[in-house]
Amino acid sequence: MTDARINDFVVKFANVNGSGSASANGLFVKSILRMGVPVSARNIFPSNIQGLPTWYEVRVSEAGWLGRRGGVDLMVAMNPQTWAQDVKSIEPNQYLFYDTTKTLPPSAFREDIRIIGAPLTEICNKTYSDPRQRQLFKNIMYVGALAQILGIPTEIAEQLISEEFASKPKLIDANVNAFHLGRSWAEQNLAPLDFRLARADKVGDRIFVEGNSAAALGAVYGGATVCAWYPITPSTSLAEAFEKYCKKFRTDPDTKQNRFAIVQGEDEIASIGIVVGAGWNGARAFTCTSGPGVSLMQEFIGLSYFAEIPAVIFDVQRGGPSTGMPTRTQQSDILAAAYASHGDTKHPLLLPCDPGECFEFGALAFDLADRLQTMIFVMLDLDMGMNEWLTPPFKWDDAKKLDRGKVMTAAELEAGREFGRYLDVDGDGIPYRTLPGEHPTKGAYFTRGTSRDEYARYTEEGAAYMRNMQRLLKKFETAKSLIPKPIRRDAKRRTPYGVIYYGSTAPAMDEALAALEAQGRHIDALRIRGFPFEDSIADFIREHDPVFVVEQNRDAQLRKLLVNECEVHPARLVPVLHYEGAPITARFIVQEIAERMRAQEKLPHSEHAK
């Protein structure tokens, strides 16, 4: 064991959805975190309620890599339905752990992997008589066995069980007993593996949180008081988290009255209508949805754009089109959100990469919506939104004041200041607005989705329409200075190669860049954090040939947006696409970019200059 890998491996649990495995797998992950070892966990689950396969992949990395690596070192195979594909995913010479109660033929295994296991069902049947207890405690038993062979201290698991069932103390002893049943059997029958866990101090003060929860808390800090939504995977937990945080932070301590409104609309159309209405009335309002919801919301999104009403949409992306893969992750709504609705529209997008930025951008979105008087999209995805990530504690400046943008006050109106709802006074494309009831006789205007002049008077005159549309473009240009700037990371050596990426691709990309550098392949990197694209993004593209654009969709949507908005030759942007539904891996990125770099190196020099 002197040469064993320490705190560097991947464990994958294959279970049946609805079998109660989630608590056990969560216990495994949190135990490792309590040891001070960084982990990342991905829950891959079906779209039905119960019965279909589910997987839970755990990346253990003392080096701190939080993206998926690719490959499995220890497969905990608890689902006969997926046995073949689970066995296939194991790395050569690594481990398969299974329930040995039922004897399997040699053909069920691979010769190049190592087989271990425990008679979990047999032990459960001898210990428990209730069928549900047999199912639930079998999960805790395999955690106990893994704790023994990997080196998880018993006291850590026991403490976590006590915390988990603090409100149901009768279940504590039962779960601890099941844990020890598995651990004791493994202690007597199984040897340690070639990799193991050891206490470290690499977690620090980081928290383990879902992106949806982080975004919801950001919305609270950003001043949101209205949420209207319709349930859809994978965004539902964002609305639920917002309600939880509002009950804590937006309930009057004296009167116990709510200072917020959360409405579950009858559908997505009603929900976005409520949000736009609330935004017109001066409230900070949002909805959370996914691709199919954005499709239904198109007309109201266009109204927000054209009538210039502040609002926020949290789009937690999933696989499409149509119902697609509702419980799988993709970055598939970028184009749909950027140009949502009919006619000529452009919408600012915020592209967070982790829960920390989900919180930051979740708050920022409402300042931008008010400042720009438009719909702001915060583009999460299922991987970021529904999985727990290690992230630094959220930071907030208590001295920060909400930016309500250009709101003309009663005093200004009374002083005789000219008010034209769509009048560009400052040359930045952003007009002044008034809030309902601001002044008894001045500052009123009629809000419509039809063409009008600078003073909100209805007109179909072509010149007035064109002036308004050009001003909206100028406002979008102003947004460039307000959107979070991209983050650039240059290679240690001068290189012609560049890579652009965004969102939840970032953790895998961080590891991939390090691996490519170790191979002697140097590449400058740019992580985009928002749209519209500031000028430095086009500059980065012009400085490199080629630029790889890594994203998780079929149609290279970010690449298309870059070509369209930055006016660069498509040949300069080489797509690297991953869209199978599981989060992208560092190995995939390394393989794809290295292969393309080798191909580029074989091209004549003249081909690089396109």
Side-chain angles (χ1 to χ4, degrees):
M1 290 296 294
T2 56
D3 59 348
R5 276 183 291 149
I6 306 297
N7 299 337
D8 183 19
F9 53 88
V10 174
V11 180
K12 192 170 185 178
F13 299 86
N15 301 103
V16 176
N17 196 38
S19 64
S21 60
S23 295
N25 298 342
L27 171 63
F28 177 78
V29 167
K30 292 173 184 177
S31 295
I32 299 173
L33 284 172
R34 289 284 176 93
M35 295 177 68
V37 181
V39 298
S40 58
R42 263 78 180 187
N43 188 18
I44 304 171
F45 57 98
S47 56
N48 75 333
I49 297 175
Q50 187 168 324
L52 287 183
T54 182
W55 292 270
Y56 192 74
E57 186 174 304
V58 181
R59 174 79 185 276
V60 179
S61 173
E62 187 171 334
W65 302 123
L66 299 179
R68 288 183 69 224
R69 184 199 69 186
V72 178
D73 298 311
L74 173 59
M75 173 61 71
V76 183
M78 295 292 143
N79 187 355
Q81 294 178 336
T82 61
W83 179 272
Q85 67 185 93
D86 294 334
V87 171
K88 184 179 180 180
S89 67
I90 302 170
E91 298 280 276
N93 203 39
Q94 296 306 300
Y95 296 89
L96 169 69
F97 180 97
Y98 77 110
D99 183 351
T100 61
T101 300
K102 182 179 179 180
T103 302
L104 297 176
S107 60
F109 304 97
R110 282 169 43 192
E111 294 183 357
D112 64 338
I113 62 174
R114 289 180 271 187
I115 315 299
I116 56 176
L120 301 173
T121 300
E122 179 183 333
I123 298 172
C124 279
N125 288 344
K126 291 179 179 178
T127 309
Y128 308 104
S129 58
D130 180 80
R132 185 59 177 167
Q133 284 187 332
R134 288 174 174 175
Q135 183 182 52
L136 295 176
F137 289 135
K138 182 167 70 172
N139 300 325
I140 302 298
M141 282 176 56
Y142 69 61
V143 175
L146 296 179
Q148 170 60 30
I149 60 178
L150 291 173
I152 297 175
T154 299
E155 63 271 16
I156 288 180
E158 290 179 341
Q159 179 62 33
L160 282 167
I161 291 172
S162 296
E163 294 172 8
E164 176 72 18
F165 297 105
S167 62
K168 301 177 181 178
K170 291 182 179 179
L171 295 178
I172 294 175
D173 289 342
N175 279 272
V176 169
N177 180 62
F179 176 86
H180 280 287
L181 282 172
R183 187 179 187 101
S184 298
W185 193 95
E187 185 176 16
Q188 297 170 26
N189 295 278
L190 299 178
L193 308 186
D194 285 352
F195 49 84
R196 61 185 177 88
L197 294 160
R199 289 183 184 270
D201 188 17
K202 300 296 185 179
V203 173
D205 63 351
R206 285 183 289 179
I207 58 177
F208 200 51
V209 63
E210 291 181 351
N212 281 353
S213 292
L217 185 60
V220 173
Y221 274 74
T225 57
V226 176
C227 169
W229 65 294
Y230 186 78
I232 182 172
T233 302
S235 71
T236 296
S237 62
L238 199 158
E240 293 171 342
F242 181 72
E243 181 178 16
K244 178 185 72 174
Y245 291 129
C246 280
K247 287 180 177 178
K248 182 175 182 179
F249 298 117
R250 294 215 187 288
T251 300
D252 189 285
D254 298 322
T255 66
K256 307 303 180 184
Q257 294 295 307
N258 292 337
R259 296 183 295 188
F260 62 92
I262 299 175
V263 181
Q264 181 177 322
E266 60 265 36
D267 53 31
E268 286 89 349
I269 299 172
S271 299
I272 191 64
I274 293 168
V275 167
V276 172
W280 176 87
N281 203 45
R284 291 193 156 187
F286 75 92
T287 190
C288 50
T289 189
S290 193
V294 172
S295 297
L296 290 169
M297 296 176 184
Q298 295 290 301
E299 190 168 357
F300 270 116
I301 293 171
L303 177 63
S304 169
Y305 176 79
F306 200 54
E308 298 180 70
I309 299 171
V312 173
I313 293 177
F314 290 94
D315 181 0
V316 191
Q317 300 166 88
R318 67 190 206 183
S322 188
T323 305
M325 295 193 294
T327 60
R328 298 291 189 266
T329 195
Q330 279 189 22
Q331 296 171 322
S332 55
D333 300 345
I334 298 301
L335 285 175
Y339 301 132
S341 196
H342 54 277
D344 296 322
T345 56
K346 290 186 179 183
H347 309 285
L349 313 180
L350 301 181
L351 307 172
C353 75
D354 60 21
E357 286 192 344
C358 288
F359 171 77
E360 177 188 348
F361 293 178
L364 174 63
F366 294 92
D367 274 356
L368 292 176
D370 274 353
R371 184 69 187 169
L372 295 167
Q373 300 175 27
T374 195
M375 184 74 70
I376 304 293
F377 285 83
V378 185
M379 307 299 290
L380 291 78
D381 57 44
L382 185 146
D383 182 31
M384 191 190 317
M386 292 192 70
N387 288 316
E388 292 175 303
W389 295 53
L390 268 181
T391 192
F394 304 146
K395 295 181 180 179
W396 186 259
D397 182 0
D398 288 333
K400 176 180 171 59
K401 294 183 178 180
L402 303 183
D403 182 356
R404 298 309 306 263
K406 297 183 180 182
V407 179
M408 197 169 289
T409 65
E412 290 172 318
L413 291 166
E414 189 64 29
R417 184 171 179 180
E418 182 184 18
F419 174 69
R421 176 62 185 93
Y422 301 106
L423 187 65
D424 185 4
V425 177
D426 302 317
D428 59 4
I430 305 173
Y432 282 81
R433 62 179 173 137
T434 57
L435 298 179
E438 183 66 29
H439 192 282
T441 60
K442 300 176 181 180
Y445 63 94
F446 190 87
T447 303
R448 53 168 56 87
T450 49
S451 181
R452 68 273 157 161
D453 67 9
E454 287 81 354
Y455 296 89
R457 297 174 300 210
Y458 172 76
T459 179
E460 293 186 23
E461 180 189 353
Y465 172 79
M466 289 180 64
R467 288 197 305 271
N468 188 61
M469 293 300 286
Q470 286 301 117
R471 180 185 57 77
L472 288 170
L473 270 185
K474 185 186 293 184
K475 182 171 73 168
F476 198 70
E477 186 71 19
T478 298
K480 288 183 179 180
S481 64
L482 304 175
I483 295 294
K485 296 183 180 301
I487 294 178
R488 177 167 176 164
R489 180 170 58 186
D490 287 339
K492 293 180 179 179
R493 298 181 186 176
R494 186 175 179 85
T495 175
Y497 296 105
V499 63
I500 287 175
Y501 61 101
Y502 67 102
S504 64
T505 301
M509 178 60 72
D510 290 341
E511 184 176 4
L513 289 170
L516 287 164
E517 186 175 276
Q519 296 178 8
R521 299 190 174 278
H522 301 280
I523 185 167
D524 295 335
L526 190 73
R527 178 166 69 85
I528 293 178
R529 301 200 297 161
F531 173 74
F533 303 133
E534 69 161 25
D535 294 341
S536 65
I537 296 174
D539 293 339
F540 180 87
I541 295 171
R542 282 190 287 268
E543 291 169 13
H544 299 87
D545 182 23
V547 175
F548 305 107
V549 183
V550 182
E551 50 186 317
Q552 299 182 63
N553 58 69
R554 184 196 69 179
D555 291 344
Q557 294 186 24
L558 177 64
R559 177 178 177 271
K560 285 183 170 67
L561 199 58
L562 288 166
V563 169
N564 193 43
E565 297 292 329
C566 297
E567 298 182 349
V568 297
H569 195 293
R572 299 184 73 93
L573 302 177
V574 179
V576 178
L577 307 175
H578 183 279
Y579 51 94
E580 66 180 27
I584 196 168
T585 68
R587 287 185 179 180
F588 172 85
I589 296 172
V590 170
Q591 177 181 333
E592 294 294 313
I593 288 183
E595 181 179 316
R596 286 162 171 76
M597 290 178 77
R598 285 191 291 267
Q600 288 288 325
E601 289 159 3
K602 294 177 181 178
L603 289 174
H605 179 74
S606 59
E607 290 293 309
H608 288 267
K610 285 185 177 180

